[in-house]
Amino acid sequence: VRRAESEDLTSTWTERLGNCQVLAIEELDTSERLEVYNRLKTWISEETAKAEEKYLPRHDIRTPRMMFAFSNYAFPTRIQDGDRRWFVTQSDKERREPAYYERLFNEGLDESGRFLNMLPRRDISHFDPSAAPSVTESKRSIIANSRPMLTQELEAMIVATNDGDEATR
């Protein structure tokens, strides 16, 4: 398990993002960087990605099996409509006292064996990898904010102009 920051995603030196099972990205904030979104596509969906490190030639590196990205921003990255790589959820819960998180972490680790034991027995026979992925309201919002600003403004103007006018809908 490795931890990364948004700056690590924008860096030329990307070797530290790979060769791990899980990559947790803290405080994702790359919405203004289309090249980061495009780079992440490979890191999320491919077995290997090109990586660079100081004084080493560009080379292939094993990508993480799972990536988590956390953010307090409403628009932390770009997502194109139809992109199946992302699942987005939002939590509006208030922060709890530190003792709660300590207990959750410690008791959660105690339960990890039971969780791992349950996984191979879980019935996934109804899973359809060809089916459209679920799209949350949070993901729809990011997709909408990912469109060009001119498109967003024109759509807002059209809605404002047509508001209340059933004949133009």
Side-chain angles (χ1 to χ4, degrees), residues 71-90:
S71 184
N72 287 316
Y73 296 100
F75 181 38
T77 189
R78 293 180 178 274
I79 301 177
Q80 292 174 328
D81 194 18
D83 190 333
R84 301 171 52 98
R85 296 171 189 90
W86 294 84
F87 175 78
V88 180
T89 188
Q90 180 178 341

Side-chain angles (χ1 to χ4, degrees), residues 7-8 16 29 35 40 55 72 74 76 78 80 85 89 98-100 107 109 112 123 128-130 138 155-156 159 167:
E7 298 80 38
D8 297 319
R16 69 175 305 271
D29 182 22
E35 74 277 7
L40 280 174
Y55 311 116
N72 287 316
R78 293 180 178 274
Q80 292 174 328
R85 296 171 189 90
T89 188
Y100 169 82
E107 290 181 17
L109 282 180
S112 62
D123 180 14
D128 181 1
S130 301
S138 301
E155 286 175 349
V159 168

Side-chain angles (χ1 to χ4, degrees), residues 13-124:
W13 318 120
T14 55
E15 173 141 354
R16 69 175 305 271
L17 300 176
N19 289 334
C20 63
Q21 292 296 311
V22 178
L23 181 65
I25 303 165
E26 295 286 343
E27 207 51 65
L28 182 63
D29 182 22
T30 60
S31 60
E32 300 301 319
R33 307 283 304 262
L34 184 58
E35 74 277 7
V36 173
Y37 169 70
N38 286 326
R39 178 190 283 181
L40 280 174
K41 288 178 185 179
T42 301
W43 282 86
I44 292 170
S45 60
E46 300 296 328
E47 292 293 319
T48 61
K50 295 290 183 191
E52 293 186 50
E53 193 55 50
K54 253 185 194 176
Y55 311 116
L56 293 176
R58 189 177 163 119
H59 57 284
D60 284 332
I61 191 168
R62 190 172 42 87
T63 56
R65 298 298 100 215
M66 182 176 286
M67 296 173 74
F68 292 96
F70 304 94
S71 184
N72 287 316
Y73 296 100
F75 181 38
T77 189
R78 293 180 178 274
I79 301 177
Q80 292 174 328
D81 194 18
D83 190 333
R84 301 171 52 98
R85 296 171 189 90
W86 294 84
F87 175 78
V88 180
T89 188
Q90 180 178 341
S91 172
D92 295 323
K93 297 286 183 189
E94 293 294 321
R95 184 178 205 96
R96 310 264 310 254
E97 69 284 352
Y100 169 82
Y101 297 103
E102 187 173 323
R103 179 176 170 239
L104 180 66
F105 177 77
N106 291 326
E107 290 181 17
L109 282 180
D110 292 342
E111 294 296 319
S112 62
R114 286 188 197 96
F115 177 71
L116 289 173
N117 188 35
M118 177 272 309
L119 286 177
R121 293 191 317 263
R122 184 163 185 234
D123 180 14
I124 59 170

